[in-house]
Amino acid sequence: MSDYNQRLIKEYSELKERAGKLNVMLKRWADGSLEFNPVCSIELLTAQLHIMHSYLSILEERGRIEGVEFEDDSEFVRIQDCREGDPTPRILKVGRTDVRSH
């Protein structure tokens, strides 16, 4: 495997791990079990998670085009945007994304 493809796999893996950690934090915030109070708003952190998932979708599409298989095929968990007046995020479980469907 080329260095380029190895870097793509590493980039994907690291981003997926970070998105997963942010997702866990947001879930804990939503259920009241987070052990600290973030300075940033839940809306800002939720937007960050959505962008991270979009970035993952792009990396997946690059992998598909370039014939790169990503080892971890687990599902993502996304958090739906909060509704105005309701700060509770809605937890949504979705499968792998497909950038072509956006």
Side-chain angles (χ1 to χ4, degrees):
M1 179 179 299
S2 72
D3 286 344
Y4 175 80
N5 287 343
Q6 288 175 348
R7 286 192 306 272
L8 177 61
I9 290 169
K10 182 179 180 185
E11 180 179 3
Y12 178 83
S13 176
E14 289 174 355
L15 179 60
K16 191 161 188 175
E17 179 181 350
R18 289 183 182 117
K21 288 178 180 179
L22 178 57
N23 183 64
V24 168
M25 187 191 88
L26 289 170
K27 279 189 201 178
R28 288 183 180 155
W29 194 352
D31 71 16
S33 66
L34 190 62
E35 296 178 359
F36 67 98
N37 290 320
V39 176
C40 293
S41 70
I42 194 167
E43 293 84 7
L44 180 61
L45 293 170
T46 300
Q48 178 182 341
L49 183 62
H50 284 287
I51 297 300
M52 293 170 92
H53 281 288
S54 294
Y55 186 12
L56 284 165
S57 297
I58 291 168
L59 294 177
E60 288 172 356
E61 181 67 5
R62 284 180 52 200
R64 186 192 67 76
I65 290 168
E66 297 175 18
V68 174
E69 294 282 328
F70 298 109
E71 291 179 21
D72 186 1
D73 221 15
S74 64
E75 293 182 336
F76 300 168
V77 176
R78 292 196 186 204
I79 298 183
Q80 181 179 339
D81 290 328
C82 298
R83 295 180 185 180
E84 187 174 325
D86 180 5
T88 308
R90 308 291 183 237
I91 311 294
L92 303 174
K93 190 169 186 178
V94 297
R96 292 174 64 85
T97 56
D98 185 345
V99 75
R100 293 167 293 173
S101 66
H102 293 276

